[in-house]
Amino acid sequence: MATASTLPGPMSIAFRHGDNWSTAVDFSVSLSNHTLSAWIESPITGEQLVAIAVTITDAALGQINLSLSQAATGSLEPGSYLWRLVWVGPGNVRRTALEGIAEVAR
């Protein structure tokens, strides 16, 4: 029997405390008329600790860039956190598209 899943895609990220960080992501689906947000959260409380900047580089092709400033990575103590990327599409449909571990190194 076939399974249809809308579970988020797994993607871990890692960076050094106090460094700038960025990565490109290609969903290969149109993100036109979508809003995106991403954040790093506490694995214990679920509290959002740091916003991840999301820049749509090509909406028609589904290409984005995720980034954190030096100040943002410096605000996190070295350790393991969770992160999520959520998009809201036409009709106010919300989907957690990616999530995973965010590892902060010394």
Side-chain angles (χ1 to χ4, degrees):
M1 175 181 238
T3 301
S5 174
T6 59
L7 291 175
M11 181 177 156
S12 293
I13 61 175
F15 48 86
R16 188 164 301 282
H17 171 85
D19 281 359
N20 291 311
W21 172 85
S22 70
T23 192
V25 179
D26 187 345
F27 289 105
S28 297
V29 297
S30 176
L31 295 174
S32 297
N33 301 313
H34 285 68
T35 57
L36 290 88
S37 59
W39 60 88
I40 294 174
E41 64 185 49
S42 164
I44 297 167
T45 66
E47 175 188 1
Q48 292 182 20
L49 303 173
V50 173
I52 299 173
V54 180
T55 304
I56 297 176
T57 53
D58 191 319
L61 295 177
Q63 298 171 345
I64 66 169
N65 190 69
L66 303 173
S67 63
L68 290 164
S69 69
Q70 206 174 357
T73 65
S75 71
L76 296 167
E77 292 298 320
S80 297
Y81 300 86
L82 301 176
W83 84 279
R84 297 183 197 284
L85 179 128
V86 172
W87 70 44
V88 178
N92 207 29
V93 176
R94 181 183 190 275
R95 177 166 182 232
T96 303
L98 294 172
E99 68 180 6
I101 303 297
E103 189 68 35
V104 182
R106 291 187 190 271

